[in-house]
Amino acid sequence: MNLPNINDARKRTDKKTEYIYLDKDYDKNIFNGKKYYLKTYGCQMNVHDSEEIAARLESIGFTKVEDLEKADLVILNTCAIRENAHDKLYGFLGRCKHVKTSINKDLIIAICGCMAQEENVCNFIKEKHPYVDLVFGTHNICDLEELLINKDNNKQNIEVYSCEGNVYENIKYSRDSKFKGWVNIQYGCDKFCTYCIVPYTRGKQRSRKSVDIIKEVEELVKDGYIEVTLLGQNVNAYGKDLDGELNFAELLQKVADTGIKRLRFVTSHPWDFTDDMISVIAKNDNIMPYVHLPLQSGSDRILKLMGRRYTKEEYISLFNKIKENVDNVSITTDIIVGFPNETVEDFNETLDVVNTCKFDSAFTFIYSPREGTPAAKMVDEVSLEEKEKRLYELNDLINNYSLLNNKKYLGKVVEVLVEGINEKDNSKVFGYTDTMKLVNFEGSIDLVGKLVNVEITDAKSFSLDGKIKE
Ligand code: SAH
Ligand code: SF4
Ligand code: F3S
C-alpha cells in the first residue's frame, strides 16, 4: 500500500530523470479468457495512457469488452482537472458496485489516472468504497501486470507514488486507431499555474529523448499511420529539462522529416512559443496549420495571479505573428471564467481578446478550485450565478466567431482524414481538415482511414457539411 501525498507531489529536486528501457514479457495465459472493461476520462494524455493500459492487460491474456456486465476487470482512468470529475467517478463506481453485488462477485474494480493521485480521493475510497480492489497512480502504470498478478483478493490495494517520475521506453500500446497515433514527447509539468492540479498528478516535466520519439514515429509511418499528434502539457517546452537535447522547433522538423503525412502537436504554452517554431510550422506542408494556444484570461491582473507568465498584449502579438506567418492557420484556445475575484473589468478584457483574435473555437470552463493548489486558498467573492452568466456570454461570442470562421470554408475543397461513421446518420462519415475542422459528408465505411477531398456545402458553429469531390 502506497498512499499519495500532496507535499511529495509538489516537490521538485535537481535529481536527473531516469530513462528506463523496459524489456519484461509476461505469459499470455495468466488471465486467459478474462475480459476487461476500460473507461477513460480527461485529456489526450489519459486517452493515450489507456492505450498503454490496454496493451499491458492484453499481454497477460485479457481481452476487451464494451459491456461492463461481461467484464472480469473494470478500470476507470480518471481526470482531476475540475471538481465535477469527482461526481462522474462516484456515479460510475455506483454502477460497478451494483454489478459486483448482483452479477459478478469476483469483479475486480480498479481506479487509475489523475484522481488516483489525489489524497482526498484515495482516503475516501479507502474509507467509503472498500469494494474497490485496486487504485494505481499515473507513475504506477508500468507495474500494472504485477499488481494484478500479485493481487490479494481479500484486500484493497492502493499503489500511488507521489514523485517527480521517470521516463519509460519500449512501452507497448494497443492503439485505438490504425491511422491516427498519439506520441508522448514529454510527461508532467513544471509550470504550476496556480489553479491547476496537473503538476501534482503527473510529476515534473520529463522530455523523452528525441531518438526514441523519432523511432516511434518512424514505426508508425512504416505501419501505415497517416497522422501523428505529439503530446505533452507544454509541448513547446520540450527539451528544456534535458541537457544537449533538441528544442521543440528542431524536434518538430525532425518528426516532419519522417514523412508522416499529417503532424500535429498539443498543447502549446504561449510563454514557450518561439519564432523558430512558427517558421518550422510555416515551411513544412505536413505540419498541420493548427495551433491550440490556451489564453485562460485576457486580464493582465488575472494572468499574473494565475502564474501564466504572459500579458494580454504578448498573447495577442504572438497570435498575430502565427496568423501572419502560417498560411490558412486555425487557432483555438482554452479560457477559464471566474478565477477567484475576477471582476467585470477583468472579464471584459477576456471578451476583448476574443473580439480581437476571433478564435476558430474555444474550450471554456468555470474555474474550479482544486485542493492543494495555491488558487484554492484564495477567498472568492464572486457567486457561481455570476460566473455562469459570464460563461454564457463568453460562449455566445465564441460560437459567433466559430460560425464566421467556418463560413469562410463555404465552396472550398478541403482534404479530410476520415475517422468514422457519423453516429446519427449512418449514410455519412466524419473526419477532420488540416485545420482541425470537423466535416460530415455522405460516404461509406471504406473511406475510414483515408484522405479525401471534400467540397464544403454548409457551415455551422461546430462543424462543416460537404460532399465528396472526385
Ligand atoms: N497544459 C495545458 C492545459 C491542460 S488542462 C495548458 O497549459 O494550456 C486543460 C484546460 O483545463 C486548461 O487549459 C484550463 O483552461 C482548464 N483548467 C485547468 N485547471 C482548471 C481549473 N482548476 N478550473 C477550471 N478549468 C481548469
Ligand atoms: Fe496546468 Fe499550467 Fe501545466 Fe497547463 S501549463 S498543465 S495549465 S500547470
Ligand atoms: Fe485530466 Fe490529468 Fe489530463 S487531470 S486533463 S487527465 S493530465
Side-chain angles (χ1 to χ4, degrees):
M1 176 95 77
N2 271 299
L3 288 164
N5 176 298
I6 185 91
N7 289 323
D8 290 341
R10 189 178 285 128
K11 246 183 238 152
R12 293 294 184 267
T13 63
D14 46 20
K15 185 176 153 279
K16 283 224 159 54
T17 300
E18 264 186 77
Y19 289 79
I20 299 166
Y21 289 77
L22 303 168
D23 58 2
K24 190 162 169 146
D25 280 323
Y26 287 90
D27 180 353
K28 262 214 157 212
N29 292 314
I30 305 176
F31 289 96
N32 197 15
K34 299 284 183 199
K35 310 251 187 295
Y36 74 91
Y37 175 96
L38 174 58
K39 183 154 181 81
T40 310
Y41 296 108
C43 65
Q44 287 96 337
M45 238 123 328
N46 249 19
V47 171
H48 193 37
D49 282 352
S50 281
E51 295 182 328
E52 174 182 350
I53 289 167
R56 289 184 181 279
L57 296 176
E58 286 159 21
S59 79
I60 47 175
F62 281 98
T63 50
K64 186 177 182 167
V65 277
E66 302 293 344
D67 182 354
L68 175 64
E69 298 185 0
K70 297 208 173 94
D72 302 287
L73 164 68
V74 29
I75 299 191
L76 236 65
N77 193 2
T78 60
C79 168
I81 203 84
R82 282 168 291 274
E83 184 66 30
N84 62 4
H86 287 222
D87 308 337
K88 281 191 206 157
L89 169 71
Y90 298 123
F92 194 80
L93 276 183
R95 275 180 63 200
C96 295
K97 185 180 181 188
H98 169 75
V99 174
K100 191 162 177 163
T101 45
S102 61
I103 299 173
N104 177 7
K105 68 171 183 15
D106 295 324
L107 178 67
I108 304 172
I109 301 176
I111 297 167
C112 64
C114 287
M115 277 180 77
Q117 296 292 137
E118 292 186 280
E119 270 181 34
N120 56 354
V121 171
C122 282
N123 288 334
F124 194 63
I125 288 172
K126 207 167 126 220
E127 279 151 32
K128 297 275 166 16
H129 298 271
Y131 60 90
V132 171
D133 297 276
L134 174 66
V135 181
F136 60 99
T138 58
H139 301 289
N140 305 75
I141 298 177
C142 56
D143 298 323
L144 179 57
E145 296 92 329
E146 304 285 341
L147 289 170
L148 289 169
I149 292 165
N150 300 324
K151 207 182 92 51
D152 177 345
N153 289 339
N154 303 312
K155 258 209 319 246
Q156 182 178 66
N157 189 12
I158 301 182
E159 283 300 324
V160 180
Y161 300 155
S162 295
C163 58
E164 293 177 289
N166 301 317
V167 170
Y168 294 94
E169 290 297 344
N170 299 335
I171 294 176
K172 296 191 182 74
Y173 296 100
S174 175
R175 294 181 185 271
D176 295 333
S177 166
K178 294 275 167 281
F179 50 88
K180 223 182 95 165
W182 310 110
V183 173
N184 282 323
I185 64 167
Q186 142 212 95
Y187 303 95
C189 181
D190 286 341
K191 287 282 192 292
F192 287 97
C193 302
T194 57
Y195 51 81
C196 183
I197 196 153
V198 173
Y200 311 84
T201 64
R202 295 266 167 180
K204 74 169 172 190
Q205 181 183 306
R206 288 105 68 206
S207 296
R208 284 178 73 194
K209 295 190 173 156
S210 54
V211 284
D212 294 320
I213 297 169
I214 306 291
K215 197 169 117 210
E216 188 177 340
V217 177
E218 281 171 349
E219 274 163 21
L220 290 171
V221 173
K222 207 172 78 213
D223 292 343
Y225 277 75
I226 291 176
E227 186 174 291
V228 157
T229 304
L230 305 180
L231 286 183
Q233 290 297 353
N234 274 279
V235 278
N236 48 346
Y238 173 80
K240 288 191 171 178
D241 51 296
L242 206 56
D243 284 345
E245 190 44 274
L246 306 178
N247 63 33
F248 184 63
E250 293 162 339
L251 177 75
L252 204 53
Q253 183 59 59
K254 284 235 159 140
V255 178
D257 292 342
T258 61
I260 185 75
K261 284 207 179 86
R262 287 182 152 204
L263 178 56
R264 301 186 187 278
F265 52 91
V266 277
T267 299
S268 309
H269 192 296
W271 193 70
D272 292 303
F273 220 103
T274 62
D275 291 353
D276 285 349
M277 273 182 71
I278 299 177
S279 58
V280 170
I281 301 167
K283 76 172 181 240
N284 287 278
D285 288 341
N286 61 343
I287 302 180
M288 298 296 96
Y290 166 68
V291 180
H292 184 62
L293 194 67
L295 166 69
Q296 312 303 3
S297 168
S299 151
D300 286 346
R301 190 183 78 85
I302 297 289
L303 283 170
K304 195 153 191 199
L305 289 172
M306 286 177 161
R308 287 295 287 182
R309 313 175 188 204
Y310 52 83
T311 61
K312 174 187 175 190
E313 284 319 306
E314 283 163 345
Y315 183 94
I316 293 173
S317 100
L318 171 64
F319 180 97
N320 288 336
K321 209 170 0 170
I322 300 172
K323 278 274 174 190
E324 280 156 22
N325 287 283
V326 183
D327 263 0
N328 185 37
V329 71
S330 76
I331 303 183
T332 57
T333 198
D334 290 346
I335 296 172
I336 297 176
V337 167
F339 186 82
N341 302 318
E342 180 191 69
T343 62
V344 173
E345 290 74 31
D346 291 321
F347 177 62
N348 285 339
E349 294 285 324
T350 299
L351 296 180
D352 189 46
V353 179
V354 173
N355 281 318
T356 307
C357 296
K358 307 179 173 61
F359 296 105
D360 279 89
S361 75
F363 296 103
T364 57
F365 313 99
I366 290 185
Y367 166 75
S368 168
R370 308 308 296 120
E371 197 175 311
T373 62
K377 295 193 196 81
M378 299 177 187
V379 185
D380 189 359
E381 304 291 342
V382 187
S383 70
L384 182 61
E385 198 189 354
E386 170 64 20
K387 294 184 186 196
E388 284 172 344
K389 209 183 98 224
R390 289 181 199 172
L391 182 74
Y392 298 143
E393 186 180 347
L394 175 66
N395 285 346
D396 280 347
L397 194 63
I398 295 277
N399 294 345
N400 238 342
Y401 287 120
S402 297
L403 182 61
L404 279 177
N405 281 306
N406 284 351
K407 279 192 170 157
K408 293 183 198 149
Y409 284 73
L410 283 173
K412 283 195 181 151
V413 176
V414 291
E415 194 177 57
V416 175
L417 175 56
V418 183
E419 295 209 355
I421 298 284
N422 181 314
E423 272 183 23
K424 285 196 196 119
D425 179 351
N426 289 338
S427 70
K428 286 187 175 158
V429 290
F430 72 93
Y432 291 87
T433 64
D434 56 351
T435 53
M436 206 66 172
K437 301 281 178 186
L438 172 62
V439 186
N440 290 296
F441 59 100
E442 294 279 329
S444 59
I445 192 138
D446 48 282
L447 292 176
V448 173
K450 299 208 169 85
L451 287 165
V452 292
N453 288 324
V454 179
E455 185 179 328
I456 301 305
T457 52
D458 196 11
K460 304 169 186 150
S461 274
F462 303 106
S463 67
L464 302 168
D465 289 335
K467 60 173 192 273
I468 199 157
K469 184 105 182 156
E470 296 304 335

